[in-house]
Amino acid sequence: MSGSNGSITITLDGTNRSTTLPLLSGTEGPDVADIRKLYANLGIFTFDPGYGETASCESKITYIDGDAGVLMYRGYPIEQLAEQSDFTEVCYLLMNGDLPNAKEFKEFRNGVTYHTMVHEQIRNFFNGFRRDAHPMAILCGVVGALAAFYHDNLDINDPEQRRIAAFRLIAKVPTIAAMAYKYSLGQPFVYPKNALANGPQGYARNFIHMLKSVPAEEYDVPDVLAKAMDRILILHADHEQNASTSTVRLAGSTGANPFACIAAGIAALWGPAHGGANEAVLKMLAEIGDVKNIPAFIEGVKDKNSNVKLMGFGHRVYKNFDPRAKIMKESCDEVLAALGVEHEPLLEIARELERIALSDDYFISRKLYPNVDFYSGIILKAMDIPTSMFTVIFAVARTVGWVSQWKELVEDPAQRIGRPRQIYTGASKRDYKPLSERG
Ligand code: SDX
């Protein structure tokens, strides 16, 4: 456990009742009040809907400073990892706590590569879906169903079974994601290719191969796309205790198998307030349609009754800027120029929308800045990936973060089943009335 840094005393005003609780310090970030004895000592709960001010666990994986725009995976700044690492190496880092040496990297990469195929019977699940099924619905269902194929490997208390399950999830989610895309096109599924997986940006390259190759012709993945996808995966890999990761941890705290926990994370990520925002950004830009319509759209956002949000803007933690958005914006310029679509109309609308929003006091006063989802969709669209696949790609990236956080939870001896409480404002005790007496 982290270090103690003194204590905090809580006194109930107007009474002589108080309690002193430990104040704990981490390596970085604010201290936390350890309130585990608060109810026993004072008979009160804390109230924090959405847990915005609550540390739900101790973790060594990712650190965010929302005011300073800092994001680090195991202490390494996201800017350096996006620039110098590759997604498979970031997977090793998140899972194991430090960067691998050459031997460790080769072994880990093989561990991922040789689990990318799925059982042939997985194909049968797809026949039950309509061709126009949302790929997130397919991903959620099929990933959860993986448990049915590994019932001999679901003992979460066995480190070796945890290790294999982690490899299976990190390796098979992109294969299933690509299958969902192929199914929507009516094209045959494309198998993973080990030779690609073992090359530079291999994970990203293999994924794009499964998305874009056909049996008649293998797609030669351009380096610019492999690098862009690799960077997108790195930027989305983990993000502390966000909604979907907290969902995975809550499911994991019950002892549920890792496939069920990751399926729960996929379901939570789907929401437009979370991972579904990248898809929503493209829909928003398409609805705006032209830069001349931006002022009217912005007025609509300011009208509370419209319930219209500026998608891709705002964040529960980042209140100055999302460091990932800055990197994504740079990537956007590089990728679109390399693909010769730098004059993509949606990019021009996005740039003008960002410029107007960042000069408008409504957004400045509410500390609303572009987040990771604002530019990612424009890059994916330039890569000719359909909008419906954007959140799926977010899930492909975040699987390693979910698995790393799940593993940390299962291996934490202090962890107990998650069980938040509430403040009850419903009816007080009353007696049942027979129907004849209810008027
Ligand atoms: C992700 O948690 C994570 O780390 C998530 C994530 C990850 O990597 O896992 O970073 C990924 O989910 C990024 C966020 C993607 N979502 C979107 O882009 C959807 C649009 N954003 C909003 O829905 C919203 O900003 C949230 C959900 C992201 C944050 O919601 P909060 O915490 O409730 O926002 P807030 O408290 O900062 O809001 C302050 C004010 C409020 O208005 P007032 O009541 O003060 O008048 O700003 C308003 C909000 O209504 N507001 C917005 C807005 N976001 C907040 N108004 C218009 N457009 C928006 N996008």
Side-chain angles (χ1 to χ4, degrees), residues 95-96 162 402-412:
M95 285 288 294
N96 297 289
R162 288 201 297 269
W402 289 329
V403 169
S404 303
Q405 299 268 353
W406 166 80
K407 183 170 170 287
E408 185 177 63
L409 166 113
V410 172
E411 292 169 359
D412 177 355

Side-chain angles (χ1 to χ4, degrees), residues 21 30 68 112 152 162 169 199 204 226 243 264 336 340-341 366 376:
L21 302 167
V112 174
D152 57 335
R162 288 201 297 269
L169 281 157
L336 271 66
V341 290
R366 289 169 173 78
S376 58

Side-chain angles (χ1 to χ4, degrees), residues 13-31:
D13 286 348
T15 77
N16 60 355
R17 295 174 59 214
S18 71
T19 185
T20 298
L21 302 167
L23 200 58
L24 305 177
S25 298
T27 322
E28 304 276 355
D31 288 349

Side-chain angles (χ1 to χ4, degrees), residues 239 273-274 304 310 312-313 315-316 319 324 371 398:
H239 211 239
H274 189 15
K304 286 291 181 191
L310 182 52
F313 264 65
H315 198 276
R316 177 57 63 85
K319 295 306 176 188
R324 302 167 297 177
N371 59 47
R398 188 53 59 89

Side-chain angles (χ1 to χ4, degrees), residues 30-82:
D31 288 349
V32 299
D34 181 346
I35 58 165
R36 284 175 286 186
K37 294 262 190 287
L38 180 61
Y39 181 67
N41 295 355
L42 271 191
I44 62 171
F45 293 146
T46 56
F47 185 58
D48 182 18
Y51 316 117
E53 308 285 318
T54 295
S56 63
C57 63
E58 176 181 352
S59 180
K60 296 175 171 35
I61 298 173
T62 293
Y63 176 69
I64 298 172
D65 180 331
D67 294 326
V70 168
L71 166 58
M72 301 192 296
Y73 294 160
R74 300 285 189 177
Y76 293 97
I78 191 66
E79 294 81 1
Q80 294 180 25
L81 293 171

